[in-house]
Every structure is written in structure tokens, then in C-alpha cells.
Amino acid sequence: NNTFDKNLRSSSLSSGIKTNPKITQKLRAQSNMRHQTALHHAKQFIFHKRKQPYDIPGNVDLYFKDNDTFHVFEVKSWVPSNLHSQFRDGNIKLLEYTFQNKSTHFKNGEYYMHLLFHNDPTKYFREYWIPFMKSLNINLCFMQDKKIVWYKDFKDNDPFL
């Protein structure tokens, strides 16, 4: 909501404004709730598509196997003021986690990486972000009505089509 966005902007360390620990705690709790809700709905969506969702605690948020292909998801919640850092963090984690696990959890198969936002962030995307993600072979998707939706430029990598 609008108050949330204003509080988040005003609590930013980069703005030089003194932070309020209570507001910061509340914002973190709200962010965590959006993340957990998106993760829950994504797992349910995958399960209803007759695939078994997994995670790797402390590492991969979500993945599933389809024949010899692994679909690896990093789930991010966001508000306009932190979208850039969430975008960067999500892409980096996908690259790192798939690299770390390619000889263990994702052994003997190929993998697709999916950056999954709690809702559609593309209105706030920078012009180069979509081509950048394509260059990294990372797909953009987001939760919409409790379903995972792949952004139009990545529809061909929707494993459920």
C-alpha cells in the first residue's frame, strides 16, 4: 500500500534519514510474509501440475524435476524502492545455487533458472533488464492469482505449456 512504500523509502539508509527500528522490523515482517506467501502458492501451483516441489534449505527456494530437466526458482518479494537490489540478488543467487548444485542435486540433467517475483514487477523494470536476463538464460516469472505466470518474452520456457 502507499503508506508502506512511503515508510520504506523514508527508512532507507541511503536516504540519510535516521531509521526507526519499529518501522524497519514491520517492513521486514511484511516482506517476509510476501515471500512466504509467494513460495507457498508457487509450491501449490507446481503440485497441482502433478510435479513434486522441492527446496534445498538455506540455498534453493524451490525446484522441481521434469524428466531429466530441473526447474530452479529463486523467489523474491519487492517494492519499487528495493526492486533493483532484489533483481540483482535473485539473478546472482540463481547463478550461484545452480552452479553449486549441478554436480549434486541437479546431477545428470539440464536445468532452467526462473526468477519468480511475488507479483508483476515489469512496470518498474529498467530497459536493459529483460535482455540481461536472456543473456544469463534466466527466465522471468511472477505470481498472479496464485499461479506462476511467465513474462511474455519468456513464455517459451514455461514448463507447463
Side-chain angles (χ1 to χ4, degrees):
N1 68 33
N2 210 11
T3 304
F4 175 79
D5 291 343
K6 286 179 188 171
N7 284 337
L8 188 66
R9 279 194 296 276
S10 70
S11 68
S12 172
L13 290 174
S14 63
S15 68
I17 297 171
K18 194 173 184 180
T19 60
N20 180 328
K22 288 182 180 178
I23 291 175
T24 301
Q25 182 180 17
K26 181 180 178 184
L27 296 175
R28 284 192 180 132
Q30 290 171 337
S31 177
N32 186 53
M33 181 59 72
R34 283 192 306 275
H35 180 274
Q36 291 303 321
T37 301
L39 182 58
H40 171 77
H41 291 314
K43 286 179 179 180
Q44 291 294 324
F45 177 78
I46 290 166
F47 184 77
H48 289 303
K49 294 290 187 174
R50 302 189 189 287
K51 302 294 176 192
Q52 180 62 51
Y54 299 100
D55 64 29
I56 303 172
N59 198 288
V60 174
D61 280 339
L62 176 64
Y63 74 93
F64 71 90
K65 187 176 181 183
D66 186 22
N67 298 317
D68 288 330
T69 303
F70 295 90
H71 291 274
V72 184
F73 295 82
E74 175 62 22
V75 179
K76 301 307 282 181
S77 63
W78 65 279
V79 292
S81 60
N82 75 352
L83 181 57
H84 187 222
S85 62
Q86 291 293 78
F87 173 84
R88 294 174 80 189
D89 186 60
N91 282 298
I92 290 165
K93 283 181 175 177
L94 277 165
L95 293 167
E96 181 180 4
Y97 295 163
T98 53
F99 181 82
Q100 283 178 332
N101 294 292
K102 68 182 178 183
S103 62
T104 55
H105 289 88
F106 309 140
K107 194 174 184 176
N108 302 324
E110 62 177 337
Y111 54 85
Y112 286 88
M113 297 176 284
H114 308 277
L115 182 54
L116 174 62
F117 285 98
H118 85 279
N119 65 12
D120 184 356
T122 56
K123 174 182 171 185
Y124 300 96
F125 261 38
R126 297 178 183 194
E127 188 176 315
Y128 69 91
W129 285 3
I130 298 296
F132 179 66
M133 291 183 74
K134 286 181 176 181
S135 76
L136 297 172
N137 293 313
I138 296 177
N139 300 295
L140 173 63
C141 50
F142 50 87
M143 297 305 300
Q144 186 174 65
D145 300 321
K146 300 182 181 181
K147 297 179 178 127
I148 302 173
V149 175
W150 275 259
Y151 184 67
K152 62 184 178 182
D153 293 23
F154 300 92
K155 287 266 188 221
D156 290 345
N157 294 324
D158 178 342
F160 303 111
L161 288 182

